Structure formats: structure tokens, C-alpha cells
Amino acid sequence: MTKKLTTIKQFIDKSIGEWKSIRSTHTLAFQEFENSTSKIYIKHINVKNKKVIEIFKNYKLSLNLESIAIFIKWQAISDWEDDDMSERDENILIFLPKDENSGIVLRNKGYTESFISSSNYFIDEENNLQIKTIYKSTVSEERISFLSTHIRSRFSTIRNLENNSVIQTSHTSEIRNLTSPKD
């Protein structure tokens, strides 16, 4: 019996909502360790939204009505901060499916290196979302898994593009806030 893979639309729909994130990051080259907590908000955004259309223009692509766009914003507090200052940011991700389980992600800015970037994604046999982004000097690989309906796990690795050495690893546990509306 073959297991039916989750589609990218189903995975994104499950991800909509407010999440509390607990992240542990290991910067191997400097032997540094960082813990952070975040609030993450994920919501659908209409593909005809002017910000989405602008991203398509930046990539020199025509608007694709089959794409799925999400808006993500977060506020993080790190144990590296001496005065408990928080960091905030936001991003728009546009998933352009090649099929139900794989495709390309367009972003208005990168995560590892801060410029527009695209990634390849696929849903693996265990229904994890795998995302790989090649930047100018690094490669970022991320796996996002649902451990239950309201708990996600993210593992990421950043490698040096030139020699493939591991620069940084991180693990994140995300717990859905059930008191907030999903969308």
C-alpha cells in the first residue's frame, strides 16, 4: 500500500496561524550557541496583492494564478541580546508548484543572505517539507515536519558553497497558539 503524499497546498494550509517558536542555533565555525524564542504569524496572501505582483516583476516572471502566497512575520528574542531587545522581520513566500509535491519558492528577500532569492522545495515520503536555497556564498537546507496538528519541527543547515563545510545548524520547535484565529 502506497502512502499518499501531502500536497504543498495541504502543508501550507496546516501551517496557517500563530506559532510560538523555540530555536537552538549552533554556529560551528565560532563554536557559538544561541537560544531564541519567537512569535511567528503565517497567513495566506492573495496572489493578486500588489506586493506579490512586485515579487513576480523582480524575478521577471508573469503573475502565476496557480501559485500559493503566504505572508510570514516574526518577533524574536535571543539570549545573545544583553538588553532583551527583540528583532522583527517579515517575508512573503510564493510557492510555484511544478506538481502537487514540488516546485520553486520565490521570496522578497533571502533568509541566510538578505537579497531576493528562490528555493527548490519538495514534500518527501514522510510528508516533510524540504527547502533548498542556493545563495551567492552559502547553501541553506531546511526540513519542516508536523509532529502533530499543532506542533512543527524545523531543522536547518547552512553550508559554505565553495567547500560544502557546515557553517551553522539549528533546530526549532513550533507550537501553535490555539487561542488565536487561524487566518
Side-chain angles (χ1 to χ4, degrees):
M1 181 177 217
T2 307
K3 183 177 179 180
K4 178 153 173 50
L5 293 180
T6 299
T7 67
I8 189 60
K9 181 176 179 346
Q10 291 168 329
F11 193 96
I12 290 170
D13 287 347
K14 278 178 70 172
S15 299
I16 299 300
E18 179 183 320
W19 299 83
K20 179 176 181 178
S21 166
I22 304 164
R23 181 178 180 134
S24 173
T25 304
H26 303 237
T27 304
L28 303 175
F30 300 110
Q31 297 183 16
E32 293 179 333
F33 178 80
E34 175 190 15
N35 285 316
S36 61
T37 58
S38 303
K39 281 190 178 179
I40 303 170
Y41 305 90
I42 304 171
K43 68 178 192 174
H44 286 285
I45 185 170
N46 190 307
V47 293
K48 294 181 182 177
N49 179 292
K50 65 181 179 180
K51 290 181 180 180
V52 174
I53 292 169
E54 186 66 31
I55 294 169
F56 276 103
K57 285 181 186 176
N58 288 341
Y59 284 93
K60 297 177 177 41
L61 295 172
S62 299
L63 178 63
N64 181 332
L65 296 176
E66 300 299 313
S67 61
I68 303 165
I70 59 173
F71 173 79
I72 302 175
K73 74 175 181 175
W74 61 92
Q75 179 178 354
I77 299 173
S78 168
D79 64 1
W80 277 5
E81 302 294 334
D82 293 333
D83 50 7
D84 280 345
M85 288 186 58
S86 64
E87 178 185 337
R88 299 169 188 243
D89 208 348
E90 57 187 49
N91 207 341
I92 294 174
L93 298 140
I94 304 168
F95 291 80
L96 298 171
K98 291 180 187 171
D99 56 45
E100 288 186 330
N101 307 101
S102 66
I104 296 171
V105 181
L106 306 178
R107 305 169 194 249
N108 61 320
K109 63 183 163 196
Y111 174 71
T112 303
E113 297 179 31
S114 195
F115 57 88
I116 66 167
S117 63
S118 64
S119 309
N120 290 309
Y121 76 84
F122 69 94
I123 305 281
D124 68 20
E125 303 79 30
E126 281 148 28
N127 292 317
N128 303 309
L129 175 60
Q130 305 265 359
I131 301 173
K132 183 175 184 176
T133 310
I134 300 174
Y135 295 98
K136 291 179 184 173
S137 61
T138 60
V139 176
S140 170
E141 294 178 290
E142 185 170 28
R143 184 182 77 220
I144 305 170
S145 308
F146 274 93
L147 304 178
S148 72
T149 302
H150 305 297
I151 300 174
R152 293 187 346 159
S153 179
R154 287 190 294 135
F155 293 95
S156 64
T157 305
I158 300 171
R159 296 178 182 273
N160 180 303
L161 188 58
E162 188 176 312
N163 62 17
N164 204 33
S165 62
V166 177
I167 298 168
Q168 187 178 80
T169 63
S170 68
H171 173 257
T172 307
S173 296
E174 298 172 342
I175 303 162
R176 187 188 309 276
N177 179 352
L178 295 176
T179 60
S180 68
K182 272 188 77 175
D183 198 9

